[in-house]
Each structure stands twice: as C-alpha cells, then as structure tokens.
Amino acid sequence: SNGRERYAFLWRSDRIEAFPHKPILVKQLAGDLEREPAKMTFRIAGKIFEVFSFHLVPTNKKPLNEVEVLGVNPEIFSGQN
C-alpha cells in the first residue's frame, strides 16, 4: 500500500510481559502480501505466546489469495522463528 501501516497491541503490563515492547513485521511474507502481518511475543505465567495482526486487502482485490499464502507458510506461526 502507499500509506504507512500502524499496529497497536494493548496488554496489562502488571500481568503480561511483552518482548520486545513493539510489534515486529513478519518480513517473510512481504513479497506475498500487500501488507505484511505484525506480531508481538508475550509471556504470562511462564508461558510464551505470539499474537499476530493481519490486514488483508479489500474484497474487490480478492483477499482469499492472501489467506491462502498464510496457509502455505505454517512455519511462520510455529514460534520457532
């Protein structure tokens, strides 16, 4: 897209730890998606989990094509990268 994308994740810092303290763009998908997803990594009660934010193209640009790209790249969501 021609504009700048902004991502925000909100959490209670007294209960959940975020690291790093800002979203990271998933660059592996930059060539396949118009807007690459952002992710944040959190820890709560000793368990680590990731949250992803996706912003797909509008309906007239066939967002299903972008959804299919996400399905063929499961390693991005494995927590191993």
Side-chain angles (χ1 to χ4, degrees), residues 29 32-35 37 54-57 61-74 77:
L29 295 175
D32 297 318
L33 301 176
E34 188 169 322
R35 303 171 187 103
F54 296 95
H55 185 175
L56 300 175
V57 295
K61 291 187 175 183
K62 302 184 180 177
L64 185 56
N65 294 338
E66 291 192 331
V67 172
E68 290 171 353
V69 167
L70 298 174
V72 298
N73 289 286
F77 309 105

Side-chain angles (χ1 to χ4, degrees), residues 29-45:
L29 295 175
D32 297 318
L33 301 176
E34 188 169 322
R35 303 171 187 103
E36 65 266 33
K39 78 172 181 177
M40 289 270 311
T41 304
F42 297 96
R43 180 180 7 244
I44 184 169

